[in-house]
Amino acid sequence: MSEGKFAGSSQLVAMVLASAALVISVASAVVNYRQNHLANLESSLRDTKDQLQLAHNEMSDMKLKTIQQLVDAQVAISGRDKLTEENSQLKEELDSAHARIEMLEAQVRSLDDRLSRSGAAAANKLPVVGKKEAALPAAAPAVDKPAAVAGRAVDIDIYTSRVSSTVQKKVADGLKAKGYAGKFPALPAGMGLTSATTVFYYDQGYKDEAESLVAVLGDIVGGRVILRKGTSSYPKNKLIVHLIGG
């Protein structure tokens, strides 16, 4: 009977141990599952963190590029404003230079007129010597320089701006009375006119004729007329007039 009790106790212990082993196995499996799950979560978190870092780096690069583009645009705008300012200053200097040239030309013409009058006055004061000189015909009355045009033909084109038909006829009649035959052709495309009435000559040999035309035009229009040497390849006897109205 004692042996039967001992055998029953052994079976009970074996069952308890088997149950404990099963519990331990189940617990171990649960722990392993949780550890694996946590490891997967940590891996996912690391991947997510890496992606966030990459996105942050890309945003930083884009920000730097945008800032650089804004700086470049600001530099370009500043350069354009500086060029505009320099262009304006150059234009003002050019206008001032033209004004000085016109003033100097007016002074030169005034000096030429004074010299011409002085020379004529000195010639009239020369004494008459001997009967032979007294027999010479009297000197012709002084006339404007256009009289010299009779011996040398000049080709005159007159381009007008802000000039009425009445003034144009007055100029044409006045020139004709002085021996000039001026034409009034249409203004060629792309040709610009001066801001004041100007006579252009294109050969040094015809400067006297141009000066004569300046004097005649000044008398007709009653204002200052500028004389300039042109650079275009016109014939030597060509004179171009820019007739500018008020």
Side-chain angles (χ1 to χ4, degrees):
M1 188 170 176
S2 298
E3 293 177 357
K5 290 181 179 180
F6 179 78
S9 298
S10 297
Q11 289 178 356
L12 181 59
V13 170
M15 290 176 63
V16 170
L17 290 175
S19 298
L22 179 60
V23 170
I24 291 171
S25 176
V26 170
S28 178
V30 171
V31 170
N32 289 335
Y33 171 78
R34 289 183 176 180
Q35 288 179 345
N36 291 335
H37 183 66
L38 288 173
N40 291 332
L41 289 176
E42 289 178 354
S43 178
S44 299
L45 288 174
R46 284 195 298 270
D47 292 341
T48 303
K49 185 177 180 181
D50 292 340
Q51 292 176 358
L52 289 174
Q53 185 63 40
L54 289 174
H56 178 73
N57 293 338
E58 289 179 357
M59 291 180 63
S60 298
D61 292 341
M62 291 177 63
K63 183 178 179 180
L64 291 174
K65 289 180 180 178
T66 302
I67 293 173
Q68 184 62 44
Q69 290 174 352
L70 290 173
V71 171
D72 293 341
Q74 184 64 36
V75 170
I77 292 172
S78 300
R80 183 192 62 187
D81 293 342
K82 184 177 180 181
L83 288 175
T84 302
E85 182 180 357
E86 291 178 353
N87 184 48
S88 178
Q89 291 177 351
L90 289 175
K91 187 177 183 301
E92 291 178 358
E93 293 176 358
L94 182 61
D95 292 340
S96 177
H98 281 310
R100 289 197 298 270
I101 290 173
E102 291 178 0
M103 182 181 65
L104 291 174
E105 288 176 344
Q107 293 176 355
V108 169
R109 287 196 301 274
S110 177
L111 290 174
D112 287 342
D113 292 341
R114 291 180 184 177
L115 290 174
S116 298
R117 289 193 296 269
S118 298
N124 291 333
K125 290 181 181 179
L126 290 175
V128 178
V129 181
K131 293 182 178 180
K132 186 176 181 180
E133 291 186 1
L136 291 174
V143 294
D144 293 333
K145 284 186 176 181
V149 176
R152 299 182 67 186
V154 291
D155 184 13
I156 304 173
D157 286 344
I158 304 174
Y159 299 103
T160 64
S161 175
R162 304 190 304 275
V163 174
S164 66
S165 58
T166 302
V167 173
Q168 181 173 324
K169 186 177 184 303
K170 177 183 176 182
V171 171
D173 294 343
L175 292 178
K176 185 177 180 180
K178 292 293 186 177
Y180 292 95
K183 305 186 299 294
F184 291 86
L187 185 67
M191 179 179 180
L193 298 179
T194 55
S195 58
T197 299
T198 305
V199 174
F200 290 90
Y201 66 96
Y202 299 91
D203 184 86
Q204 193 66 26
Y206 282 82
K207 184 178 180 181
D208 290 343
E209 285 77 358
E211 290 176 343
S212 299
L213 181 58
V214 167
V216 172
L217 279 175
D219 292 339
I220 295 173
V221 301
R224 186 168 65 94
V225 180
I226 300 170
L227 176 66
R228 286 186 181 175
K229 189 175 188 302
T231 58
S232 301
S233 56
Y234 286 112
K236 293 182 178 181
N237 67 334
K238 172 68 76 174
L239 299 180
I240 300 291
V241 178
H242 292 184
L243 185 62
I244 310 300

